[in-house]
Amino acid sequence: MLRAAATAPAAALLAVLVLVLLPLPASAATYSSLWGKDGNDWDPRGRLPDFSYAGYKYGTEALPEPPVTRSVLKFKRAGMTDTQAIKHALDWANKQRLTNKFIVLSIPPGTYTLTERLFIRRSRVVLRGAGAGKTTLYIPKSLYDVYGPNPRNRETGAYVTSDAFLKIEGTGVKGSMAATVVKFAAKGAVWVVVNKPSALKVGEYFDMWFTDIGGKFNNYMYDNLLEAPAKYRGDTRVKFTTKILAIRGNASAACCCLLLLLLARIKIERNLPYDINYKMNIVRFHERPRTVSESGIEGITFAFKWTWYPGHHLERGMNAVELSDVRDCWVRNIATINADNTVLMQGVTSSTIVGVTISASKTRANRIPNQYKERADRDGHWGIEFAHSFDVLVRRVVQISSLMHSVGTDSSGKWGVFADLKFRDGNLDLHRALSGPTLYTDIDVGLGTNALWSGGPRASGANAAAGTTWWNIRSKKAVTPNASNTAKPGDCSYGPVINIVNVNLIPAMARKICRTWLYERYVSSPANLYEAQYERRMRLAAAAASG
């Protein structure tokens, strides 16, 4: 139920009206009230999150390019199929003792038939083709055909958003608990007080897990303007990973000596994304889990045998790549043809997907009746999707085919970035269940028929958590404001606190959008907010390091 919405600040409303109603000359540089020039107006306590930590190793390192260790053809014996050879190579790599060196298995140019699922289950293993369009894995049967109904989907047996023919699979998402935050800390702060400072170490990363109390924290993620579904009460659905910069003893003179030894102020690298308040959440530092990291998939085309698309939520598992319970991994320079889903992510942290082309050999869309009366008028389901994942970066995606959801954030995904994308007619989805904040920036959605439409089950609440941002979204025609199957275009029930910057909304509809949305139509700089935030972060870090 929508609560009484707070009136937007007068200054913000005035800025919105000016930017919507008074177009400026093309030669005039215009800046957002959220960012300003070079980030001078950005407020870590405000409505625009910091998305600069998205991607492989939080942007501290470029994606590695290690040399080839061995060709998969070296593992092929007489009578072996292509699948058996690649599987044998990966089994060998997964069993090797872990060192600091990468194991890179190459697949030479050519077309290879894949009939089983393949797994990377060790850190620093890379499966590398010669390049999308040069190395092709031809997949003639779906997961349903090979393995039968999906045991995770008892209702239909479909492979809707899980499992794929090539998977990087980790072993866990939560490490050992190290310390608990014991005092209030405000959003934007970098100092917190914990009860076990000895369990933390300067220079290392820790996961801060936020647990809801009585639904209050979940509501807070909508700025207390909407009520989150009761089924999420008490859940731990937010992970915020940060480096420890300093540990200081509690400076309060009122503390006794024993308490001085037990409590300490901890300085973290990132500004807190939310208030920490004992009445609404419990926040604990955890060690990062020992799971698969620094593994990758690259340079491969996944070509599925053409079939009609069976229908939304009836996907038979023509799924290319899945990442599950991993961190600091990547998918680079791949393509899919006739896929139901191209890249799926579950429980993924600080990973990068870059250089993806999605197409169909001919349209799979149809109006063939199916037993559940689900729509089948598309070429596939998801292009790239992440759920229960954090700080994921997706860049340089080209989608030629028509999908139910081009790219988007599913259940609980936060601080992900989609940037530099180009679609024939794509959409940018927030899929409910406390998903967001997410950043979409520097994107050409093409025609823009359903650019800002989102899906997701009705029972999972609003589509977008506060802070979700669409920034510099280009379209051939003006687009309808954000909407879903339960929220009319521009309605607050979609998510009461979102940012829409330099997006060509239909003017008549733009004037009627939710009062607590921020809409700035004419903003020329920066074109790519992620890059601007990242550059600012690096600039400030360099200045701090130089003293």
Side-chain angles (χ1 to χ4, degrees):
M1 177 181 293
L2 181 64
R3 297 181 176 181
T7 303
L13 278 176
L14 179 60
V16 170
L17 290 173
V18 169
L19 287 167
V20 170
L21 300 176
L22 300 178
L24 296 176
S27 59
T30 54
Y31 304 103
S32 169
S33 62
L34 297 172
W35 186 249
K37 184 179 181 180
D38 299 326
N40 295 334
D41 292 337
W42 181 70
D43 183 356
R45 301 164 298 177
R47 59 187 294 150
L48 177 65
D50 179 4
F51 295 101
S52 69
Y53 289 84
Y56 177 77
K57 294 200 172 182
Y58 307 101
T60 59
E61 297 181 23
L63 287 181
E65 297 184 10
V68 171
T69 305
R70 193 175 298 182
S71 167
V72 297
L73 297 185
K74 295 288 186 181
F75 294 86
K76 193 165 188 177
R77 303 291 181 263
M80 270 190 178
T81 64
D82 296 337
T83 300
Q84 289 169 335
I86 301 172
K87 187 176 181 181
H88 186 37
L90 285 172
D91 287 345
W92 170 82
N94 289 331
K95 293 175 182 177
Q96 298 306 299
R97 183 175 63 86
L98 186 62
T99 70
N100 290 329
K101 293 184 178 181
F102 287 87
I103 296 176
V104 180
L105 298 172
S106 68
I107 309 177
T111 298
Y112 306 83
T113 300
L114 182 59
T115 58
E116 295 181 39
R117 299 178 66 192
L118 303 173
F119 295 90
I120 294 174
R121 289 174 167 145
R122 177 191 180 275
S123 296
R124 301 187 192 95
V125 171
V126 180
L127 185 63
R128 177 187 295 164
K134 296 180 180 179
T135 294
T136 297
L137 296 180
Y138 173 65
I139 306 171
K141 295 183 178 181
S142 69
L143 291 170
Y144 197 107
D145 295 330
V146 178
Y147 299 104
N150 185 353
R152 303 183 190 182
N153 188 342
R154 295 181 180 180
E155 183 178 353
T156 67
Y159 292 82
V160 180
T161 55
S162 66
D163 302 290
F165 274 91
L166 183 49
K167 182 175 184 178
I168 305 179
E169 184 176 54
T171 55
V173 294
K174 185 180 286 188
S176 301
M177 202 267 281
T180 301
V181 179
V182 294
K183 290 187 68 176
F184 171 83
K187 176 182 178 180
V190 293
W191 287 95
V192 296
V193 177
V194 300
N195 63 346
K196 294 181 180 179
S198 60
L200 304 176
K201 185 176 181 180
V202 172
E204 291 192 358
Y205 287 91
F206 286 82
D207 296 331
M208 298 179 70
W209 284 98
F210 288 66
T211 300
D212 170 74
I213 296 177
K216 295 177 182 178
F217 178 57
N218 294 337
N219 296 341
Y220 170 85
M221 283 189 271
Y222 297 114
D223 273 17
N224 293 314
L225 297 175
L226 284 182
E227 187 140 356
K231 63 182 179 179
Y232 303 133
R233 289 177 184 171
D235 283 0
T236 304
R237 301 173 70 89
V238 174
K239 179 172 74 169
F240 184 70
T241 305
T242 185
K243 184 188 291 185
I244 305 297
L245 297 185
I247 301 176
R248 299 284 185 267
N250 194 315
S252 173
C255 293
C256 67
C257 295
L258 177 60
L259 195 57
L260 280 170
L261 294 175
L262 295 178
L263 299 182
R265 297 172 67 231
I266 307 298
K267 186 176 184 181
I268 58 177
E269 182 180 27
R270 302 169 69 174
N271 298 96
L272 281 177
Y274 301 118
D275 285 353
I276 299 176
N277 185 328
Y278 75 94
K279 293 183 179 180
M280 75 173 185
N281 53 27
I282 300 170
V283 180
R284 294 188 173 100
F285 283 88
H286 286 251
E287 296 177 359
R288 293 196 294 174
R290 296 184 179 181
T291 189
V292 173
S293 64
E294 300 181 71
S295 290
I297 297 166
E298 52 191 47
I300 300 171
T301 292
F302 297 83
F304 293 88
K305 182 180 179 180
W306 182 90
T307 61
W308 292 114
Y309 178 52
H312 194 210
H313 299 152
L314 294 174
E315 291 78 13
R316 293 181 65 86
M318 295 165 71
N319 302 342
V321 172
E322 182 181 26
L323 277 62
S324 176
D325 298 344
V326 300
R327 72 168 183 269
D328 297 328
C329 289
W330 70 89
V331 177
R332 172 169 53 190
N333 183 25
I334 71 163
T336 60
I337 303 171
N338 303 326
D340 288 338
N341 297 288
T342 290
V343 179
L344 301 171
M345 289 173 273
Q346 174 81 17
V348 174
T349 306
S350 57
S351 296
T352 294
I353 314 297
V354 59
V356 180
T357 301
I358 304 167
S359 66
S361 57
K362 62 179 180 179
T363 184
R364 302 178 66 209
N366 65 89
R367 296 187 181 277
I368 301 171
N370 58 60
Q371 59 181 324
Y372 294 100
K373 298 181 180 180
E374 290 283 1
R375 291 173 56 194
D377 57 345
R378 295 290 188 273
D379 296 318
H381 189 199
W382 277 101
I384 300 175
E385 173 256 14
F386 65 84
H388 299 284
S389 298
F390 308 89
D391 297 311
V392 170
L393 175 62
V394 179
R395 303 196 72 171
R396 297 202 298 275
V397 176
V398 175
Q399 178 200 311
I400 302 168
S401 55
S402 172
L403 302 175
M404 288 290 179
H405 319 288
S406 297
V407 296
T409 309
D410 214 325
S411 178
S412 305
K414 299 192 181 302
W415 305 296
V417 173
F418 294 93
D420 321 326
L421 316 182
K422 185 175 179 62
F423 306 129
R424 177 178 290 173
D425 189 12
N427 87 297
L428 313 172
D429 191 288
L430 264 291
H431 224 62
R432 306 179 188 270
L434 300 173
S435 65
T438 296
L439 171 65
Y440 299 94
T441 184
D442 195 13
I443 297 172
D444 184 346
V445 294
L447 187 59
T449 303
N450 295 295
L452 304 181
W453 190 91
S454 294
R458 296 168 182 260
S460 297
N463 288 89
T468 296
T469 300
W470 290 259
W471 186 290
N472 188 22
I473 310 301
R474 302 177 296 282
S475 55
K476 290 184 179 179
K477 64 179 183 179
V479 300
T480 301
N482 302 69
S484 68
N485 56 348
T486 58
K488 294 180 180 179
D491 193 84
C492 295
S493 61
Y494 178 89
V497 186
I498 64 175
N499 307 311
I500 309 169
V501 177
N502 201 25
V503 182
N504 185 16
L505 298 183
I506 297 170
M509 301 181 79
R511 293 182 175 90
K512 299 177 182 179
I513 61 174
C514 179
R515 292 181 302 163
T516 49
W517 292 7
L518 183 87
Y519 177 46
E520 298 176 330
R521 171 63 185 96
Y522 296 96
V523 171
S524 61
S525 179
N528 188 310
L529 179 63
Y530 163 73
E531 290 182 351
Q533 289 192 329
Y534 181 78
E535 289 168 3
R536 178 181 181 274
R537 171 188 156 198
M538 293 296 102
R539 185 172 66 250
L540 294 177
S546 64

